[in-house]
Amino acid sequence: MAEASGAQGRTPLLEVKNLKKHFPIRKGILSRVSGHVYAVDGVSFQIGHGETLGLVGESGCGKSTVGKAVLKLIDPTAGEVYLKGKKISDLGQLEIRPYRRDMQVIFQDPYSSLNPRMSAGEIVGEPMYNYGLAFGKEKEEKTRQLFARVGLRAEHMLKYPHEFSGGQRQRLGIARALAVNPSLIIGDEPVSALDVSVQAQVINLMMDLQQEFKLSYLFVAHDLAVVEHISHRVAVMYLGKIVEMTDKRTLFTSPQHPYTEALLSAVPIPSPKMKRKRIILTGDVPSPIRPPPGCRFHTRCPYVMDHCKVAEPPMQEVEPGHLVACHLRQPGQALAAAAASNPALTAPAH
Ligand code: SF4
């Protein structure tokens, strides 16, 4: 499959090839496997050094599972993951430990991942100790510097997770991730649970830290407006597959997949003079246990053709660095033009 990268001519920081995660469904007293949840079903992408890739889609599309499988918090069913050119997907839990240091995660709800019995200072200092990076006074000084860098005060080091607000806890989660000098941070809906004003503060902090520490981010989110702000490139997921991937500007001004087009039509434009034609998708997202044949989006696509119901569209590079999986799309042809010129199309629903 074609792949787009922000790291042309250089080994990407992270490369994911045809990643799959199928969860078995077990039934009966013998726990026989009666089927699978096809949560991630052949996902490929690259992330360059210092780059942010936004991974968006509706809840249940598999985007959070991608992050967990990359980190090997869950074992992938198939596929390959390379970090700085080194294949890490085959490594066991012990062998992968040094690479884990280089890949940190920030969760949507940091509270559940913070030990309630440890003070904030201990929480941030612990990974430095575990990886042998700093001890004693040096660890304390580094912790103090990290607290200052993420906007927490030195006295916060003595507090416990329950004494922090949601935004402060997320800053604490960021400080803990930074404590081991990672190259890549996977943010799993890191601002979804925060108020809008706090969201903006945390995102701006993440962008500043990216510059300062030359970080790369895989930013998993369902909110396109948030993704637009922080990402360099964006990948759109639907039912376990990436359907479109390109640079942020192209995606937001010229989406080429009908699903991306529908998602974007729901994003408000911050100008009373400009309006977007809203595309309302009908029908529910199909179950990942029985994904539809052909194009997985065909049950909801306003442009569906008979061909879409039987043949899966390949991912094609329609313009340099712009990948789309849709039968309507041909290199150099815009979605609206393709739709207008195809007599087999049904009228879009509005
Ligand atoms: Fe719609 Fe067909 Fe394109 Fe799928 S392949 S998005 S059903 S037009």
Side-chain angles (χ1 to χ4, degrees):
M1 189 183 80
E3 287 166 24
S5 168
Q8 275 127 16
R10 193 179 163 195
T11 304
L13 178 76
L14 181 77
E15 184 167 18
V16 174
K17 291 184 182 175
N18 204 22
L19 188 71
K20 296 184 181 178
K21 180 62 195 177
H22 301 164
F23 294 100
I25 303 167
R26 296 182 188 276
K27 275 195 181 154
I29 47 171
L30 295 176
S31 289
R32 288 221 171 89
V33 175
S34 62
H36 286 90
V37 177
Y38 297 93
V40 177
D41 206 14
V43 161
S44 301
F45 60 85
Q46 298 179 349
I47 301 180
H49 296 259
E51 185 185 40
T52 300
L53 177 70
L55 189 58
V56 287
E58 291 162 291
S59 66
C61 72
K63 57 192 187 302
S64 289
T65 307
V66 170
K68 290 187 182 115
V70 166
L71 288 162
K72 282 204 87 170
L73 297 178
I74 53 174
D75 276 329
T77 306
E80 295 164 13
V81 179
Y82 296 83
L83 184 71
K84 296 178 179 170
K86 165 77 183 170
K87 189 174 179 183
I88 59 168
S89 41
D90 292 343
L91 301 180
Q93 290 299 328
L94 267 181
E95 297 161 301
I96 204 169
R97 204 165 172 268
Y99 300 96
R100 275 244 173 85
R101 188 197 64 71
D102 221 7
M103 300 186 293
Q104 293 293 302
V105 61
I106 306 172
F107 294 104
Q108 176 179 357
D109 175 15
Y111 196 48
S112 59
S113 65
L114 301 174
N115 187 337
R117 292 197 190 87
M118 289 171 80
S119 70
E122 288 168 340
I123 285 170
V124 173
E126 188 190 39
M128 291 187 225
Y129 178 88
N130 287 345
Y131 280 103
L133 299 174
F135 305 97
K137 287 263 175 271
E138 187 191 357
K139 174 163 73 80
E140 204 172 303
E141 182 51 32
K142 281 192 171 168
T143 303
R144 199 184 310 278
Q145 287 169 6
L146 277 171
F147 268 61
R149 189 58 200 86
V150 300
L152 294 172
R153 295 194 300 276
E155 56 264 35
H156 282 135
M157 288 168 64
L158 300 174
K159 293 195 170 199
Y160 287 81
H162 72 272
E163 297 177 271
F164 289 96
S165 67
Q168 285 174 327
R169 273 201 290 270
Q170 206 50 290
R171 288 173 191 271
L172 189 55
I174 293 170
R176 185 178 59 172
L178 287 176
V180 291
N181 306 320
S183 305
L184 173 72
I185 291 183
I186 297 183
D188 186 5
E189 301 265 11
V191 297
S192 304
L194 305 176
D195 292 343
V196 174
S197 60
V198 183
Q199 276 188 0
Q201 290 169 13
V202 172
I203 286 183
N204 288 337
L205 171 65
M206 288 181 72
M207 291 172 78
D208 290 347
L209 294 171
Q210 179 168 46
Q211 293 289 323
E212 190 174 333
F213 295 99
K214 308 276 178 272
L215 294 166
S216 300
Y217 292 134
L218 174 61
F219 194 94
V220 177
H222 66 272
D223 185 339
L224 271 167
V226 167
V227 164
E228 183 178 16
H229 193 63
I230 194 169
S231 304
H232 297 106
R233 286 185 305 127
V234 180
V236 179
M237 260 188 98
Y238 185 79
L239 215 56
K241 288 182 179 285
I242 290 178
V243 296
E244 181 162 9
M245 179 159 53
T246 186
D247 65 272
K248 167 177 74 177
R249 194 164 177 279
T250 306
L251 189 100
F252 281 84
T253 55
S254 174
Q256 296 299 304
H257 194 282
Y259 179 57
T260 316
E261 195 188 35
L263 283 184
L264 281 177
S265 77
V267 177
I269 300 177
S271 163
K273 290 184 186 155
M274 291 174 71
K275 279 197 177 141
R276 257 193 197 124
K277 190 158 70 173
R278 181 86 195 263
I279 300 169
I280 310 282
L281 293 176
T282 52
D284 293 330
V285 181
S287 165
I289 298 172
R290 271 177 226 88
C295 173
R296 291 190 175 191
F297 187 54
H298 86 249
T299 56
R300 301 169 79 201
C301 179
Y303 305 106
V304 62
M305 304 170 284
D306 287 344
H307 184 50
C308 307
K309 297 174 186 169
V310 289
E312 184 174 350
M315 188 66 112
Q316 296 194 75
E317 190 165 30
V318 294
E319 286 152 9
H322 189 166
L323 301 171
V324 185
C326 172
H327 291 306
L328 271 182
R329 294 296 305 122
Q330 297 298 323
Q333 191 180 17
L335 177 62
S341 67
N342 194 325
L345 301 181
T346 54
H350 296 302

